[in-house]
Amino acid sequence: MVQVKDLHWKKDMRVSELVDSYENVGFQSVELHRASEVIVKMKKDSAKVFLTFTSNMVTSGLRGFFAQLIELGIADVLVTTVGGLEEDIMKATGEVFSIGNFNTDDVELHERGINRIGNLLIQNQSYMNFEDMITDILRKLYAKQKRWSVSEMLREIGLLLDDQNSILYQAAKNDVPVFCPAITDGAFGFHLYLFQQENPDFIVDVVKDFGNILLTTSHDDRKGVIALGGSISKHHAILATLLNGGAEYAVYMTTAHRTSGSMSGANTSEAKSWGKVKDESDIATVIGDVSITFPMAMTRALDELYEEGLLNIENK
């Protein structure tokens, strides 16, 4: 039985040392340490890793961290929501987001043409610039071919970007497929609709992409899921693992609680009842703000993987 031990600060303490000490602190710190261990295990076991996240995390500074994880070979498959793709493209083309306040006058922000996501602020003009740009991108795609699955379309867009901190750029460069089953749920979807009105033979095939995500793994593959937040991005990944025999490893990080009965709050133990993760799987569920918990758990995992030569750091 693991004993509770007192936490002590020491000069120049590394993040990895702090997270290691969490094993003996208690409460959610224990789960955070376990999450980091599970991430290391899935990579050591050569599991195919599904990384899922919601769009608000791309709004934040985690966007560049996700791109770096792709470059380092941590993620094999990405699943996200359309807002994150829009904002990844926006940031890749020079748009700047700001940090504001959770307790602000939202009517005043609206009058100033500013949108608030928590304590992050985005100018309306940034979305207008995105809309002008995406129309030009769709014309280029249409000239190349008329029918696209979502992941194929996103790969093509990634190839058009030139930003090392872009998720789509790094995914395209490193042959990591990006899936977005709810591609119409945002400004991007609206412009897909408008473009299709002018070009009725332009088709974005969501159903084909369901087959594509199933074919990223097989029953024989070891599979791991790192699900940050909830929503359709989380469920789409674990459904894909379910249909291929379930995942051997799963890390969920969320602010939602299991008592809601929601996908966002469903923990890794509940997933066993569905066969989404296997009975004998290594699992961890961390309740807390992902902008805090994920960088800490992943930094410790990266340190260990680096020390064992398991990171893709050639030419870095």
Side-chain angles (χ1 to χ4, degrees):
M1 184 176 294
V2 178
Q3 294 183 341
V4 173
K5 295 182 181 178
D6 293 331
L7 174 68
H8 292 283
W9 166 83
K10 67 177 183 179
K11 186 176 180 296
D12 299 324
M13 178 183 280
R14 297 174 61 198
V15 172
S16 295
E17 293 176 298
L18 176 61
V19 176
D20 277 338
S21 70
Y22 282 174
E23 181 183 16
N24 302 102
V25 172
F27 307 126
Q28 283 299 297
S29 63
V30 174
E31 282 297 298
L32 193 151
H33 175 264
R34 176 160 179 75
S36 185
E37 286 192 316
V38 175
I39 292 169
V40 170
K41 286 179 180 179
M42 64 176 76
K43 292 306 296 181
K44 285 185 176 181
D45 198 21
S46 299
K48 290 196 173 181
V49 177
F50 291 75
L51 174 62
T52 86
F53 47 88
T54 48
S55 64
N56 56 328
M57 298 175 195
V58 183
T59 316
S60 77
L62 288 180
R63 176 239 188 190
F65 191 41
F66 294 150
Q68 186 181 29
L69 294 179
I70 299 166
E71 189 177 21
L72 291 171
I74 295 297
D76 299 290
V77 180
L78 299 184
V79 189
T80 189
T81 49
V82 71
L85 302 175
E86 295 166 356
E87 292 172 9
D88 181 59
I89 295 169
M90 289 158 67
K91 288 183 178 182
T93 52
E95 299 300 330
V96 177
F97 300 176
S98 303
I99 296 176
N101 195 303
F102 286 104
N103 302 308
T104 191
D105 187 334
D106 291 299
V107 174
E108 180 186 351
L109 289 180
H110 180 69
E111 291 173 349
R112 291 167 53 196
I114 299 173
N115 305 284
R116 181 170 68 86
I117 300 173
N119 63 345
L120 305 179
L121 306 177
I122 307 175
Q123 299 281 344
N124 272 344
Q125 186 62 46
S126 293
Y127 280 101
M128 295 170 66
N129 294 341
F130 166 79
E131 290 169 2
D132 290 340
M133 178 179 51
I134 203 64
T135 301
D136 182 57
I137 289 174
L138 291 177
R139 290 194 186 103
K140 292 177 181 177
L141 296 180
Y142 182 68
K144 191 166 186 177
Q145 64 187 56
K146 304 298 186 288
R147 190 181 191 96
W148 296 85
S149 70
V150 178
S151 59
E152 292 166 344
M153 177 180 68
L154 296 178
R155 181 180 186 278
E156 198 70 20
I157 292 173
L159 294 173
L160 295 173
L161 302 176
D162 185 19
D163 177 11
Q164 296 291 328
N165 289 316
S166 165
I167 294 165
L168 287 174
Y169 171 84
Q170 289 292 352
K173 180 181 175 183
N174 292 280
D175 294 322
V176 173
V178 180
F179 294 95
C180 181
I183 190 68
T184 57
D185 189 30
F188 194 175
F190 179 58
H191 283 275
L192 287 173
Y193 168 75
L194 292 179
F195 191 81
Q196 192 179 65
Q197 300 314 295
E198 297 179 2
N199 306 278
D201 57 343
F202 178 71
I203 303 295
V204 177
D205 193 338
V206 178
V207 176
K208 182 182 178 184
D209 237 20
F210 187 76
N212 288 341
I213 195 171
L214 292 181
L215 293 173
T216 59
T217 62
S218 70
H219 275 69
D220 295 331
D221 289 321
R222 310 283 286 176
K223 294 172 284 291
V225 177
I226 303 172
L228 309 178
S231 85
I232 192 172
S233 53
K234 174 184 177 183
H235 186 263
H236 201 58
I238 59 179
L239 176 60
T241 64
L242 166 65
L243 295 174
N244 275 319
E248 281 77 14
Y249 305 94
V251 170
Y252 294 174
M253 293 187 169
T254 181
T255 55
H257 291 265
R258 60 185 179 179
T259 51
S260 67
S262 66
M263 170 49 57
S264 298
N267 61 19
T268 44
S269 293
E270 182 179 310
K272 289 185 177 182
S273 74
W274 293 83
K276 294 169 181 174
V277 299
K278 294 183 177 180
D279 294 345
E280 69 279 9
S281 61
D282 277 314
I283 57 175
T285 300
V286 183
I287 306 299
D289 186 331
V290 171
S291 69
I292 301 169
T293 60
F294 182 62
M296 294 182 70
M298 183 54 76
T299 294
R300 178 201 169 275
L302 290 173
D303 282 347
E304 183 170 343
L305 292 170
Y306 174 77
E307 288 167 4
E308 299 199 20
L310 296 174
L311 288 184
N312 178 25
I313 57 172
E314 293 182 12
N315 302 319
K316 300 293 188 295

